[in-house]
Structures are given as structure tokens and as C-alpha cells.
């Protein structure tokens, strides 16, 4: 998982660039009928009653959670309300709702985390997201989205796909430039199928080498490996690789190593164009 080190206290981040006004796309993505409840600037009070200041226990190195800390991350006039964030990471039609319990902002970052609850009020998992303002704009790290094995019946319902689709639609309205993931057991195939790609050239080279070893162990010739191995250029093309009735790419990703991924929210980017088609963004 890509980590961003916290700057020292002497660090003074540059003011965020101006953002285009947020549109009703986020409202549509979240399924909220009252747009005035969806987005707004926390110009006087920090977000709702579950708000917890960044005193170090919540997020090491944060500020005190003043409204200006949130505006530093999102830009003045573009700070999401608690309701919008909760809707973004919930999938009520599939039986899971995000219940935030901790939020903290400072030093150009905001961390948002909590529990995933089912319709009966049981905690079935956890989630965590980190918004980071940097030189290349606002980025989001999908640190965690986990459903416990005891609630296996919730898996396979498309919860992750539904939440990710709503989030990506919202992110474009929020001027997010990149989304980062670090795959675990359940995410190795899923993230690739949604357009995420290797995080960098080092990741690409490592996963390509692993895939070539996978093909060699399956008995493929050097010529076949050279042809099939080209699919590993992108994580999303590898996930779609089929040969002789076998989903080779999916099989490799399911059993292979975890990988760090990124989705560049830029028109024309191969991964984002794939995501737009796959998720109907």
C-alpha cells in the first residue's frame, strides 16, 4: 500500500487550487433526493456528533479538526457533509450501511473510518478511507473495506462494486485525481475488474514476472508465455485474459500475490476508460 509520510510541524502546505462547482452527479450517485443535505461547507462546526478530533489517537500528526483543516483538504466550498460520505460508502439496497465512528483532518489529510452494519444492526465489517491533498491534487486511499467471514452470505452481492461505483462518480465531482488501493485476498481480482492498474512500473514488472512463472508452472511454452504475458501490461487486461476456456488471468490473480493499484481519474487513461465501460460511470 502506498504510504504518504506526514510532514513536520514546520510544513506549510500550499493552498488548494480552485475547484469546479460540485454538480448533482454526487447527489445522483448517493441516491439522495434532497441536494441541500448532500454537500456543504463545514464553515462553522466540524461534522456531526460522531466527530472526533485528531489528537493522535485517531490519526497521528493531525491538526485539531477545525473547519479550516477540512477546507485545506477539499477546497473552500467543497467539503463533503457527513451524510454524503456515509451514503458514498454504503450499499443499503444490498444490506450494508457505513456507520462512521472516527474522522480527523490536518496536514492536508482527512481520515474517515468506521463499521459496516447489516439491516439487523450487526457489525459485519469495517472500512477506512484517507483523503490526501498533494502536489498532484486530491487523492483517495481505499485503506480498508472488509466483511467478516461470519457474514459470508453478504459476499458476492456486489456490495464492493456498488460502493466503488458511487464513490468514483462522487470523486470526479470532488476533483479527485487518483484512487489508491492495496489488494487483499478478496480484492486481487475485484479491483482489477474495475479498472485499477499496477501502482507503478516496479509493481508492473514484479507482477509480470510472477505471471510468467505461473504460466511456466502450467507447462506453457516460451512462445505461448511471450504472447500471453503481454496481458500483464495492465491489471485490468490480465483479469480478462482467457485461453482455451480457462480464465488464466483471474486464476493467477486469485492465487497470486497481493498488489498495489491505482486508478487515474482522467479521461483517456486506459484504466479509467475501462472503469467507465465496466461500471457505467
Amino acid at each position: 500500500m502506498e504510504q504518504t509520510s506526514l510532514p513536520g510541524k514546520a510544513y506549510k502546505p500550499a493552498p488548494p487550487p480552485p475547484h469546479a462547482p460540485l454538480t448533482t452527479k454526487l447527489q445522483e450517485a448517493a441516491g439522495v433526493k434532497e441536494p441541500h443535505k448532500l454537500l456543504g461547507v463545514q464553515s462553522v462546526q466540524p461534522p456531526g456528533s460522531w466527530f472526533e478530533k485528531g489528537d493522535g489517537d485517531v490519526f497521528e500528526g493531525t491538526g485539531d479538526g477545525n473547519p479550516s483543516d477540512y477546507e485545506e483538504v477539499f477546497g473552500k466550498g467543497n467539503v463533503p457533509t457527513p451524510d454524503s460520505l456515509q451514503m458514498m460508502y454504503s450499499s443499503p439496497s444490498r444490506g450494508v450501511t457505513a456507520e462512521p465512528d472516527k474522522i480527523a483532518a490536518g496536514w492536508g489529510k482527512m481520515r474517515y473510518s468506521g463499521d459496516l452494519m447489516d439491516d439487523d444492526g450487526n457489525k459485519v465489517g469495517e472500512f477506512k478511507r484517507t483523503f490526501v491533498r498533494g502536489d498532484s491534487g486530491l487523492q483517495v486511499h481505499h485503506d480498508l473495506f472488509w466483511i467478516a467471514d461470519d457474514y459470508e452470505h453478504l459476499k458476492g452481492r456486489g456490495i464492493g462494486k456498488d460502493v466503488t461505483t458511487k464513490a468514483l462518480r462522487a470523486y470526479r465531482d470532488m476533483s479527485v485525481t487518483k484512487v489508491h488501493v492495496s489488494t487483499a485476498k478478496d480484492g486481487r481480482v475485484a479491483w482489477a475488474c474495475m479498472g485499477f492498474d499496477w501502482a507503478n512500473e516496479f509493481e508492473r514488472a514484479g507482477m509480470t514476472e510472477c505471471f510468467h512463472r505461473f504460466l511456466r508452472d502450467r507447462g506453457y511454452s516460451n512462445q505461448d508465455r511471450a504472447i500471453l504475458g503481454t496481458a500483464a501490461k495492465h491489471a485490468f487486461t490480465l483479469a480478462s485474459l482467457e485461453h482455451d476456456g480457462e480464465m488464466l488471468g483471474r486464476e493467477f490473480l486469485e492465487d497470486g500475490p497481493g498488489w498495489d493499484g491505482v486508478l487515474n481519474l482522467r479521461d483517456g487513461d486506459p484504466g479509467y476508460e475501462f472503469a467507465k465501460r465496466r461500471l457505467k460511470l
Side-chain angles (χ1 to χ4, degrees), residues 118-182:
D118 68 9
D119 292 337
D120 296 323
N122 301 309
K123 176 182 174 179
V124 298
E126 299 176 352
F127 73 94
K128 184 186 296 181
R129 300 289 186 259
T130 304
F131 293 81
V132 181
R133 169 68 62 182
D135 293 338
S136 58
L138 180 61
Q139 303 183 28
V140 185
H141 293 257
H142 283 199
D143 303 310
L144 177 68
F145 195 89
W146 163 78
I147 293 179
D149 291 339
D150 291 343
Y151 296 91
E152 192 73 25
H153 66 283
L154 292 173
K155 298 182 179 181
R157 290 189 179 185
I159 294 171
K161 181 179 178 181
D162 182 49
V163 168
T164 301
T165 300
K166 289 191 295 185
L168 292 179
R169 289 172 180 166
Y171 291 162
R172 282 306 300 263
D173 256 16
M174 297 164 71
S175 298
V176 170
T177 60
K178 293 182 179 181
V179 184
H180 301 268
V181 298
S182 186

Side-chain angles (χ1 to χ4, degrees), residues 61-75:
T62 61
D64 60 3
N66 289 325
S68 60
D69 293 322
Y70 293 87
E71 292 182 345
E72 182 179 310
V73 178
F74 296 100

Side-chain angles (χ1 to χ4, degrees), residues 92-109:
S93 63
R94 291 167 173 79
V96 171
T97 301
E99 292 291 344
D101 59 10
K102 292 183 180 179
I103 184 171
W107 303 112
K109 297 184 179 184

Side-chain angles (χ1 to χ4, degrees), residues 73-110:
V73 178
F74 296 100
K76 190 174 180 62
N78 284 332
V79 179
T81 63
D83 284 348
S84 70
L85 290 169
Q86 183 180 29
M87 292 296 294
M88 195 187 306
Y89 299 126
S90 296
S91 183
S93 63
R94 291 167 173 79
V96 171
T97 301
E99 292 291 344
D101 59 10
K102 292 183 180 179
I103 184 171
W107 303 112
K109 297 184 179 184
M110 187 199 81

Side-chain angles (χ1 to χ4, degrees), residues 16-265:
H19 296 271
L22 289 158
T23 70
T24 57
K25 290 182 181 178
L26 180 54
Q27 172 193 349
E28 295 168 357
V32 175
K33 297 181 179 179
E34 300 174 274
H36 67 281
K37 292 184 179 181
L38 185 63
L39 290 167
V41 182
Q42 307 295 337
S43 58
V44 179
Q45 297 294 330
S49 59
W50 43 264
F51 176 82
E52 189 168 340
K53 292 184 178 180
D55 56 5
D57 293 332
V58 179
F59 183 25
E60 181 182 357
T62 61
D64 60 3
N66 289 325
S68 60
D69 293 322
Y70 293 87
E71 292 182 345
E72 182 179 310
V73 178
F74 296 100
K76 190 174 180 62
N78 284 332
V79 179
T81 63
D83 284 348
S84 70
L85 290 169
Q86 183 180 29
M87 292 296 294
M88 195 187 306
Y89 299 126
S90 296
S91 183
S93 63
R94 291 167 173 79
V96 171
T97 301
E99 292 291 344
D101 59 10
K102 292 183 180 179
I103 184 171
W107 303 112
K109 297 184 179 184
M110 187 199 81
R111 178 160 291 180
Y112 179 79
S113 62
D115 299 328
L116 298 173
M117 312 296 291
D118 68 9
D119 292 337
D120 296 323
N122 301 309
K123 176 182 174 179
V124 298
E126 299 176 352
F127 73 94
K128 184 186 296 181
R129 300 289 186 259
T130 304
F131 293 81
V132 181
R133 169 68 62 182
D135 293 338
S136 58
L138 180 61
Q139 303 183 28
V140 185
H141 293 257
H142 283 199
D143 303 310
L144 177 68
F145 195 89
W146 163 78
I147 293 179
D149 291 339
D150 291 343
Y151 296 91
E152 192 73 25
H153 66 283
L154 292 173
K155 298 182 179 181
R157 290 189 179 185
I159 294 171
K161 181 179 178 181
D162 182 49
V163 168
T164 301
T165 300
K166 289 191 295 185
L168 292 179
R169 289 172 180 166
Y171 291 162
R172 282 306 300 263
D173 256 16
M174 297 164 71
S175 298
V176 170
T177 60
K178 293 182 179 181
V179 184
H180 301 268
V181 298
S182 186
T183 68
K185 178 181 178 181
D186 295 332
R188 295 171 186 167
V189 175
W191 290 121
C193 288
M194 290 187 283
F196 284 79
D197 204 357
W198 317 125
N200 48 52
E201 290 303 320
F202 177 81
E203 196 79 21
R204 189 188 316 278
M207 292 300 290
T208 299
E209 181 180 350
C210 288
F211 183 57
H212 276 275
R213 286 203 301 267
F214 168 83
L215 293 175
R216 183 190 62 203
D217 293 342
R218 296 287 293 268
Y220 284 91
S221 67
N222 290 340
Q223 182 179 6
D224 287 342
R225 293 203 303 271
I227 296 172
L228 296 172
T230 59
K233 180 179 180 180
H234 300 293
F236 51 89
T237 54
L238 182 58
S240 304
L241 177 63
E242 180 181 358
H243 181 68
D244 286 343
E246 293 184 282
M247 296 300 295
L248 288 176
R250 292 181 68 96
E251 185 176 338
F252 164 73
L253 290 170
E254 285 173 352
D255 299 331
W259 51 278
D260 292 339
V262 66
L263 181 63
N264 294 293
L265 303 188

